[in-house]
Every structure is written in C-alpha cells, then in structure tokens.
Amino acid sequence: MRQPAFSLLPDLYRLDRQLQPLPCPVCNACKPLRVLRRDRYLLRVDLSICEDCGAIYLARGLAGDIATRFYADLYPRLMGVGIYSAPVLGQLRLAAGYRVNAIRSVAGVVDDIVDIGAGHGFFLAACRDAGSRNYWGVEPGPLQRRYGEDNLGLRGRIVAGDFGSPAAAPFQPQMVTMFHVLEHLEQPGATLDVIAGWLPRDGWLVIEVPDLEDWSQIGLQYAHVSHRSYFTGATLTALLARHGFRVHAMQRELYGIHPTNLRVFARVGDADPGLPRPPDVVRLRQQIREQMQPWRLTDGYPKSAWRLGKLAIAGGLNPPPITP
Ligand SMILES: [Zn+2]
C-alpha cells in the first residue's frame, strides 16, 4: 500500500519516542558505555559497549509489540524488502549455492536442515538441489514466503512464525542455519535455547552475522535500529557458550555475501574454558569511533539525512510485485 508522501518522517519520530531501554543481549547486564547516540535513521538508539562483557549492542531499541509493528510496517519501507530486482535475486541465488558449499566444507553434508529466517527461500532450494531430503524454513515475512512458494517450489516448506519461538520442523534437524538473523533479535539467547533443545550433540548450528571487529568497512550505515547486536567472533562465541553451544569453526568473507561476513559453526556441548576477558571498554569505544567516522560525507550522518529525505519524498517505498 502506498504511503502518503512525507509520512515516513513522522512515523520515524513516533518510533523514536517508543524505543525502550534494553539490557545487554549477551550477559543481560544494564551497564552500557555509550559509543553513539543516533543511528542512520537519526533514531536515538544509544549504541553501547557492555561494561561487564564487552558486547556491542543497542541500549535503547525495539521491544515486544513495538518491534512487531516495526517489522510489519516501517522496516519494509526503509529497506525495500519485496522490491528486489532481478539482479539482486540473482545474487541471492548465487549466495545460497555458495553457502551450501561452504557449509559442506566443514559439516560434510547438508540435510535434515532448518533455516530460521528463510527469506525468499533460495538457500532451502539450493539444499534441495544439492540432494537434501528434509528441509524446512521459518520466515515471518509474507512477501518472502510467497516468493519461495511461487517461484522456487517451496510450498509447504516455509512456515510463518516469529524467531523468538520458531515452529519445530516435522523431522529431527541435524542442522539449523540462521543467516543474518541473530543480530536482529531482541533476545537472541531465547532463540538459541530453543535450537539447543532441537539439535543432537552431533548436529550443527551455522550462524552468519556481520563481523564488527573493525567498523571501518561498515561505518555508521550499519548502526541501525533493527540491529540489536553488533557481534565479533569473541562476543558471538561468548553468547553461544551461555546457551550451551561450543564453536568449532569460523569462516570470514570480507566481501561477497555481506561486507565482513562471519560464519560460525557450533555444536551443542560445553564451551571452551577460558573465554577471552572483557576488553578495555573505554579504549574500545575510542577505537570504534575512529573506525566509524560517523560524520564522514560518504557514509555518515550527511548521507543518512540525504537518503532519509529521498525516502520521505518517495512516500516510503511502494513495493511493486516481485519479478524473478
Ligand atoms: Zn554484557
């Protein structure tokens, strides 16, 4: 449905006033050291470092019904979900095939698989085409589900459902994948607890997130109200350890699927003893600010304001039907 011109700005302003204080998504402490007050939409999100565990997260953000409404209405208007062009859909298809091969290189096989955040379904289709017999996805977005059903032959394979309590598959999964989902979750640990209950000890959890070890590649444009957590290999390992997972392998791709892509392979089991000590948080804050350069013309606040203005004039985004 087309939104009236300029409705985006008052809607963002309303959202700004509804954002809630949030604890650290890794250790649940409420000891934020603020790095940056506003995100790329100029929303007050308080990007912070947890003084207890060193995780980087939004100390003010989406919670409960406000999050549900945001993902149903504002998120598609801001991100253009549903208007993917044929070249973008082609890239998604290639990334899916690449992921199947990258996962096989560690896990050996890709079968009995549940993909949480299945999106348009390209990964599930790639698993099927690679010989998987049991494959199942959870995706709350109706446009994405419909694409997978209508164009990729996935009818009945992708179910609606939220990521906090994803629906169980009709088979025992040996592998659960989450590509660029975990960083969006208000309580990522709750979803990890559900998955830990599904997987056998020789099963695999495969997670992809952006690697925020270095902000210079991503900058302010990645500071975004929908990104609750900003993981590094160490903070993701620590979160997984708290929820019964031990990391076995990591793969990194600076470009390709996503800038600074990090893929982690974990299994249910005791974590490594001696997790890294929390960093010097004041030094880490300084380092992030230097790397991010939030006022940089090319990708800082000036570009954010320009992009917001264009979106507002366009009346938000008005998704036409997807064409494959
Ligand atoms: Zn923490």
Side-chain angles (χ1 to χ4, degrees):
M1 186 173 64
R2 190 168 183 86
Q3 305 288 334
F6 293 106
S7 68
L8 187 67
L9 299 182
D11 287 349
L12 281 171
Y13 178 70
R14 200 171 303 119
L15 176 68
D16 197 28
R17 288 185 302 166
Q18 292 172 333
L19 298 180
Q20 307 282 318
L22 296 173
C24 170
V26 172
C27 77
N28 216 34
C30 293
K31 293 167 72 176
L33 180 71
R34 193 168 67 211
V35 178
L36 189 80
R37 183 183 286 267
R38 294 193 180 271
D39 76 349
R40 78 184 221 193
Y41 300 118
L42 312 180
L43 298 170
R44 193 188 145 198
V45 295
D46 290 344
L47 180 74
S48 301
I49 306 168
C50 173
E51 292 195 46
D52 273 6
C53 78
I56 303 164
Y57 71 102
L58 299 188
R60 191 166 177 269
L62 301 164
D65 290 348
I66 295 163
T68 307
R69 284 204 298 276
F70 170 81
Y71 280 106
D73 173 36
L74 261 179
Y75 187 73
R77 289 159 65 194
L78 292 169
M79 303 302 289
V81 172
I83 60 159
Y84 290 147
S85 61
V88 172
L89 292 168
Q91 285 167 11
L92 291 174
R93 190 187 300 274
L94 288 180
Y98 180 88
R99 279 176 171 139
V100 169
N101 282 322
I103 292 170
R104 271 181 169 165
S105 74
V106 172
V109 292
V110 178
D111 203 356
D112 303 305
I113 188 161
V114 172
D115 187 23
I116 297 181
H120 292 68
F122 286 109
F123 178 68
L124 287 179
C127 291
R128 174 195 61 204
D129 296 347
S132 299
R133 292 153 303 164
N134 291 316
Y135 48 94
W136 173 266
V138 178
E139 171 55 51
L143 283 175
Q144 294 92 317
R145 282 200 311 274
R146 203 180 73 206
Y147 181 89
E149 290 174 353
D150 293 350
N151 298 281
L152 302 176
L154 292 172
R155 190 168 300 279
R157 298 285 188 164
I158 306 178
V159 294
D162 72 83
F163 298 140
S165 52
F171 53 84
Q172 161 80 60
Q174 288 292 316
M175 179 175 286
V176 176
T177 52
M178 278 200 291
F179 304 128
H180 295 268
V181 169
L182 200 69
E183 66 271 28
H184 291 268
L185 302 183
E186 181 192 344
Q187 295 182 313
T191 303
L192 294 176
D193 286 341
V194 172
I195 298 168
W198 289 348
L199 282 173
R201 286 184 83 83
D202 62 348
W204 288 103
L205 170 61
V206 184
I207 292 175
E208 279 184 19
V209 293
D211 183 0
L212 273 300
E213 196 71 52
D214 182 344
W215 281 77
S216 56
Q217 289 287 330
I218 290 186
L220 172 72
Q221 294 307 308
Y222 193 69
H224 184 305
V225 67
S226 81
H227 294 150
R228 161 91 165 109
S229 307
Y230 300 76
F231 292 112
T232 64
T235 58
L236 180 53
T237 299
L239 175 67
L240 286 165
R242 284 174 187 272
H243 297 277
F245 288 97
R246 178 178 178 139
V247 172
H248 283 254
M250 290 193 191
Q251 297 171 335
R252 287 184 167 88
E253 291 126 14
L254 193 50
Y255 306 107
I257 289 179
H258 188 282
T260 75
N261 197 49
L262 171 66
R263 186 177 305 107
V264 171
F265 295 77
R267 283 184 144 158
V268 175
D270 296 333
D272 278 325
L275 288 171
R277 286 162 53 82
D280 176 335
V281 290
V282 174
R283 208 153 122 205
L284 179 57
R285 172 170 68 174
Q286 187 59 29
Q287 185 187 315
I288 293 170
R289 284 176 172 172
E290 285 170 10
Q291 290 171 352
M292 184 191 283
Q293 297 187 45
W295 288 97
R296 195 159 53 191
L297 281 178
T298 49
D299 60 1
Y301 287 121
K303 182 171 179 184
S304 294
W306 171 251
R307 188 168 180 272
L308 259 184
K310 282 203 303 186
L311 274 177
I313 290 166
L317 286 166
N318 182 31
I322 298 169
T323 47

